[in-house]
Amino acid sequence: MRTEDLIAGLASDVKPVKRLRPPLTRAASWLVLATVVLFLLCVSQGIRFDIAQRLHDPSFTLALGASLATGILAAFAAFALSLPDRSRLWLLLPFPTLCLWLSNIGYQCLTQWVSIGPQGVSLGETAECFATVVLTSLPLSLAMLVMLRHSALLRPRTVTIMGSLSIAAITATALSLIHPIDATVMILIMNVGMAAMLVLLGGVFARTMFDWVAPRSPSIN
């Protein structure tokens, strides 16, 4: 086959490509969804009864604001890094608020240690916390995978780690707003442990997840 015929044959089957919206616009759309999810969870499960008192605690307010800011900035970084022409310096965007969030938790461990009583944490309370984690992280994870399914294939691990960090931080924000768990052990488990797990799983299974939502043809592989 002549080169001209090959080019003509390929061009005849080309379909119009829909241009992606700017990454900041798509990130803002995803954050709107995250806001709706948080609102629905607060309505269905109820905000913690002592929220007014806790908001007067500087350490709680700082941790809440830092986790929320980390979620927002990591989402913008994930969508920006999904494009191959964007600098990897976007990875540093959520770093300051992430350090503030983690250092505040560490400060609470050192200065405000609260031991869990002899009865421990009730099964019902643990189940409610787990339900909040699932109801927050699952829809946000699926939405981010779908929104990034085509643009993140060149940097699947980097994008997924940033996306997982965003989801983990927003989930931690939901836990702080809904569940009155002030024991430092539970703070570490629910915040740091959950965040580390989501980021680790996102990094390990990044390529698999994107291949699942956006399967590629053998010629591209």
Side-chain angles (χ1 to χ4, degrees), residues 163-178:
S164 299
L165 176 60
S166 175
I167 293 166
I170 291 177
T171 302
T173 303
L175 287 171
S176 298
L177 289 173
I178 296 173

Side-chain angles (χ1 to χ4, degrees), residues 131-211:
T132 301
V133 171
V134 173
L135 292 174
T136 306
S137 60
L138 185 59
L140 296 183
S141 299
L142 292 176
M144 184 168 285
L145 276 174
V146 171
M147 294 177 73
L148 293 174
R149 65 188 184 279
H150 296 304
S151 58
L153 294 177
L154 296 178
R155 293 175 176 173
R157 184 168 285 107
T158 302
V159 171
T160 305
I161 288 176
M162 280 291 100
S164 299
L165 176 60
S166 175
I167 293 166
I170 291 177
T171 302
T173 303
L175 287 171
S176 298
L177 289 173
I178 296 173
H179 299 287
I181 298 178
D182 292 328
T184 304
V185 174
M186 293 304 296
I187 291 175
L188 288 174
I189 293 175
M190 293 298 178
N191 283 269
V192 181
M194 177 269 301
M197 180 188 69
L198 287 178
V199 173
L200 178 62
L201 290 176
V204 171
F205 297 105
R207 177 70 67 179
T208 303
M209 289 188 295
F210 281 116
D211 285 345

Side-chain angles (χ1 to χ4, degrees), residues 81-139:
L81 289 167
S82 66
L83 301 181
D85 61 336
R86 299 305 167 97
S87 171
R88 290 185 179 271
L89 291 177
W90 279 94
L91 285 168
L92 300 177
L93 183 63
F95 186 73
T97 54
L98 175 63
C99 292
L100 184 61
W101 176 29
L102 296 180
S103 63
N104 185 265
I105 293 176
Y107 175 78
Q108 293 183 54
C109 291
L110 293 175
T111 62
Q112 300 178 10
W113 180 270
V114 181
S115 60
I116 298 178
Q119 295 181 350
V121 179
S122 66
L123 180 61
E125 189 175 19
T126 304
E128 289 177 359
C129 289
F130 181 75
T132 301
V133 171
V134 173
L135 292 174
T136 306
S137 60
L138 185 59

Side-chain angles (χ1 to χ4, degrees), residues 64-75:
L64 184 66
S67 64
L68 181 60
T70 300
I72 294 172
L73 295 178

Side-chain angles (χ1 to χ4, degrees), residues 1-14:
M1 179 182 294
R2 295 185 308 168
T3 303
E4 293 79 3
D5 295 335
L6 177 60
I7 294 175
L10 293 174
S12 62
D13 296 330
V14 171

